[in-house]
Amino acid sequence: FCLVCAGVWMMRVKMPHLPRSFKAPLVPFVPLAGIVVCLYLMYSLPIESWYRLAVWLLLGLAIYFFYGKKHSKIREQ
């Protein structure tokens, strides 16, 4: 969610001409507040949660890459 908030803010600044189906209110305050609140919540997590995140992230990446290598359309060419 931190990355989403940062992306909303950066896109508004760097690409103001793009058409948008909705507009975030009070930019840059809302994205900055979202980043701060999310970082605080992440900071307050116990270390066990970070270990679990690392394990599940590695497992998910392994499945993603092994499945992608076997089922790649580019590889068939």
Side-chain angles (χ1 to χ4, degrees), residues 8-52:
V8 166
W9 184 24
M10 289 174 62
M11 283 185 66
R12 182 63 63 90
V13 172
K14 295 190 182 247
M15 297 179 238
H17 59 279
L18 288 179
R20 305 185 197 301
S21 58
F22 72 93
K23 289 191 178 183
L26 300 173
V27 173
F29 174 73
V30 170
L32 285 175
I35 292 169
V36 169
V37 169
C38 190
L39 287 175
Y40 171 73
L41 290 173
M42 289 167 56
Y43 176 75
S44 67
L45 287 172
I47 193 70
E48 293 86 15
S49 295
W50 290 103
Y51 291 145
R52 287 185 190 113

Side-chain angles (χ1 to χ4, degrees), residues 37-72:
V37 169
C38 190
L39 287 175
Y40 171 73
L41 290 173
M42 289 167 56
Y43 176 75
S44 67
L45 287 172
I47 193 70
E48 293 86 15
S49 295
W50 290 103
Y51 291 145
R52 287 185 190 113
L53 170 69
V55 169
W56 282 109
L57 180 65
L58 291 174
L59 181 65
L61 286 173
I63 291 170
Y64 178 78
F65 283 112
F66 287 123
Y67 180 86
K69 185 176 181 181
K70 185 177 179 182
H71 294 88
S72 174

